[in-house]
Amino acid sequence: MVDFAQPENAFKPGLPGAAEPACRVVPKYSDQGEREGDWLEISMGPQHPSTHGVFRMDLVLEGETVIRLKPVFGYLHRNHEKIAEQTTYLSSMPYTDRLDYFCSMTNNWAYALAVEKLAGLQVPERAEYIRIITAELTRLQNHACLMGFLMQDLGAMGTPLMYAFREREKILDLFEALSGARMMCNYMRFGGCRIDLPPGWLEQTRRLVADFPRFLDEFEALLTGNEIVMARLQGVGALSRELAINAGISGPMLRASGVNYDIRKVDQYGIYNRFEFRVPLGAHGDCYDRFMLRLLEMRESLRILEPALKDIPSGPIIDARAKLRNFKPRPGEAYGRIEAPKGELGFYLVSDGSANPYRYRVRPPSLINLTILEDLCLGQKVADVVIILGSVDIVLGEVDR
Amino acid sequence: MPGFGIIKGLKETARNFFGSYHDPGRFVTIQYPEEKREHHENYRSFPFLVYDGDPVKGLRCVSCKICEKECPPQCIYIVPEQDGSGKLLKFPRIFDIDVSVCMGCQICVEVCPFDSIKMDQEFEVSTADRFGGLILNRSKLAKSNEYYHQIRPAEATAVDAQLAAERERQQAKAAAAKSPAPAAAATREKKP
Ligand code: SF4
Ligand code: SF4
């Protein structure tokens, strides 16, 4: 390893007033003190097209091999947690949409779950069904997009991503008809949902769910047997079981390493215990497993959606005790967590009995899944760093908050 | 056989390419300025104030400032009207919404107890004026109940029925008390 405390290895600061160079050459010495060559320090991002937002990686390369990686983030920090402590419980709901802006429905759900625990609200049956349906639709569109973006990172410019976006568009149309907005849904409320399903929505969703396997088959034919995809993804960025557990990784990343841990099964929040679905597991923990696992998860989501759309009962959609104005839960603390498409999304709330939370904390899956990026990338080629980052599935809105 | 997977994938791409000429399921692009999507009734953009009858006197808003307090990015600014002696009236003298800050979250609509603020569906609001152009004042925000019916027929009808029921209840209460209507009820009933 490089000892950067050594003066000869220390990075020279740029000239005063000069811009930080994007790339720097550092001389490399052997143990005997002979000069052996150079290391290259490059700064990937924050405007790099592959970094999925404003995210920077400081890489040190030996030839093309990564020997050190430092993730740098915070460019999108907007003080979500402290703002939420200044405003009422309801007012933070639209801000949770902006955490992982691909999956606003699941973000709403996790926050609503935490507040419901705090205030002791009961969610009516119909609202639980609506929540499951919207959450699984969110999972479908998140995974479809992720696979598209991963292919984009591989160099399959546009085609798979556009196919994924075509399907996502249909799901976003459904969200718009339901909640009024395509991405910033702000749909769930403490103790239920905001408005009932519009007429014809269930039929439209049933049609979409019936059509979706066609897209999955197409995607599978397009990509999974493709030799280039296999060559680029298999064996790259392998994550061991032990490291995954120790680092607190969750979601598809964890399951791709072969750990059977799905909060839908473990916690059985909502009414997930009424549905039959399997939890796909990976064997190698490499990028290909992570990719395939998401494809399989989409098929399982469809298996949840079909009975949910069939059995949804009529009835109220919000707990009659839920209050919109002047909502003050009793003092206490609560942690609500769900299996968001990217992993375990949790909200920790402490209430002191006033209208705003005393403490509001988000456990973002993207950030915690990102912490092992260096371990995944060491010894890999610099071109693979892009793919590994893509397969982790991060959204910077959630990492930086 | 190596290479077979790629050929299989290319077949899929070719099917999509030719399908985009004749398969209606694949006609997904909309030529935006010429062609516009139909909005669903629930679609929302920015808030507006509903009035019945007169655009100034008929505003339903009683300037209670609940929406101002609840708005997450704090983009509503309200100053109530005062009469000669400095007493606050139930009417907004200034009602501004900065739509460059507003995130269209609909919280103000939900918390308003008087059904006076609703979500619009107008989304082409861009302007070249950076500072003043995106601050909507009371006269720009005021839109008639007919317009509300036009964009959200089902919701507006339900709101009208609810308001009528509320009015009847108030009238019954006033009649039962056999006394002049209390001041609060009188100001609230400025609708035709
Ligand atoms: S829609 Fe949301 S952000 Fe806009 S004015 Fe209403 S409460 Fe404020
Ligand atoms: S719009 Fe509604 S909530 Fe806001 S001040 Fe007027 S009456 Fe009160």
Side-chain angles (χ1 to χ4, degrees), chain A residues 84-98:
Chain A
E85 285 164 19
Q86 308 298 321
T87 57
T88 57
Y89 283 88
L90 177 65
S91 297
S92 327
M93 186 59 95
Y95 286 133
T96 61
D97 291 340
R98 279 120 181 121

Side-chain angles (χ1 to χ4, degrees), chain A residues 98-304:
Chain A
R98 279 120 181 121
L99 279 175
D100 172 357
Y101 38 79
F102 273 93
C103 322
S104 63
M105 287 288 189
T106 47
N107 297 347
N108 287 177
W109 193 1
Y111 179 50
L113 204 67
V115 177
E116 279 152 16
K117 275 190 187 169
L118 202 58
L121 295 170
Q122 281 298 321
V123 184
E125 188 94 334
R126 184 175 172 83
E128 291 280 23
Y129 271 92
I130 297 177
R131 284 180 174 193
I132 285 207
I133 292 168
T134 51
E136 293 307 319
L137 286 175
T138 305
R139 199 179 313 278
L140 286 181
Q141 57 110 342
N142 177 69
H143 285 0
C145 287
L146 168 92
M147 291 163 70
F149 280 125
L150 184 57
M151 288 303 125
Q152 176 101 343
D153 291 345
L154 270 180
M157 278 302 170
T159 309
L161 183 63
M162 287 302 124
Y163 291 2
F165 266 36
R166 188 184 62 206
E167 298 309 307
R168 173 175 181 251
E169 199 63 20
K170 295 174 189 162
I171 296 176
L172 292 190
D173 280 348
L174 287 175
F175 285 173
E176 180 178 342
L178 176 59
S179 71
R182 303 166 70 72
M183 288 170 79
M184 303 301 143
C185 298
N186 183 18
Y187 177 62
M188 290 177 198
R189 287 290 171 268
F190 316 132
C193 299
R194 181 154 58 76
I195 42 173
D196 208 347
L197 302 176
W201 195 84
L202 281 176
E203 275 64 51
Q204 234 178 317
T205 315
R206 274 185 209 122
R207 231 176 299 136
L208 179 129
V209 169
D211 275 352
F212 210 82
R214 203 185 80 172
F215 160 71
L216 290 182
D217 293 340
E218 182 183 288
F219 222 61
E220 223 165 324
L222 183 66
L223 296 170
T224 51
N226 188 309
E227 283 81 2
I228 302 173
V229 172
M230 288 203 266
R232 290 292 309 272
L233 293 182
Q234 283 177 350
V236 171
L239 172 64
S240 71
R241 250 177 103 100
E242 292 72 33
L243 181 60
I245 295 170
N246 288 340
I249 307 302
S250 56
M253 279 278 281
L254 179 66
R255 294 192 287 276
S257 298
V259 184
N260 187 354
Y261 186 78
D262 186 323
I263 297 169
R264 289 176 291 174
K265 290 275 189 201
V266 176
D267 270 18
Q268 310 219 325
Y269 59 94
I271 47 166
Y272 269 114
N273 51 356
R274 297 191 200 168
F275 297 97
E276 238 178 67
F277 62 99
R278 292 168 298 178
V279 180
L281 295 178
H284 309 95
D286 57 2
C287 287
Y288 191 73
D289 274 11
R290 274 174 234 145
F291 172 74
M292 282 307 286
L293 189 108
R294 287 178 170 116
L295 202 71
L296 296 174
E297 264 193 11
M298 284 202 265
R299 293 202 189 269
E300 295 306 314
S301 284
L302 292 174
R303 280 185 47 177
I304 300 175

Side-chain angles (χ1 to χ4, degrees), chain A residues 323-379:
Chain A
K323 282 204 299 183
L324 262 183
R325 290 180 291 269
N326 213 2
F327 174 78
K328 287 180 182 164
R330 55 173 179 255
E333 55 175 10
Y335 180 64
R337 60 173 191 170
I338 65 163
E339 179 73 32
K342 293 185 168 64
E344 174 186 341
L345 174 66
F347 283 83
Y348 174 66
L349 298 170
V350 179
S351 161
D352 55 0
S354 64
N356 16 338
Y358 174 74
R359 180 77 178 102
Y360 173 105
R361 158 93 186 132
V362 189
R363 186 235 186 254
S366 296
L367 171 68
I368 293 170
N369 289 357
L370 197 59
T371 51
I372 44 145
L373 190 64
E374 182 169 16
D375 301 270
L376 295 183
C377 292
L378 287 185

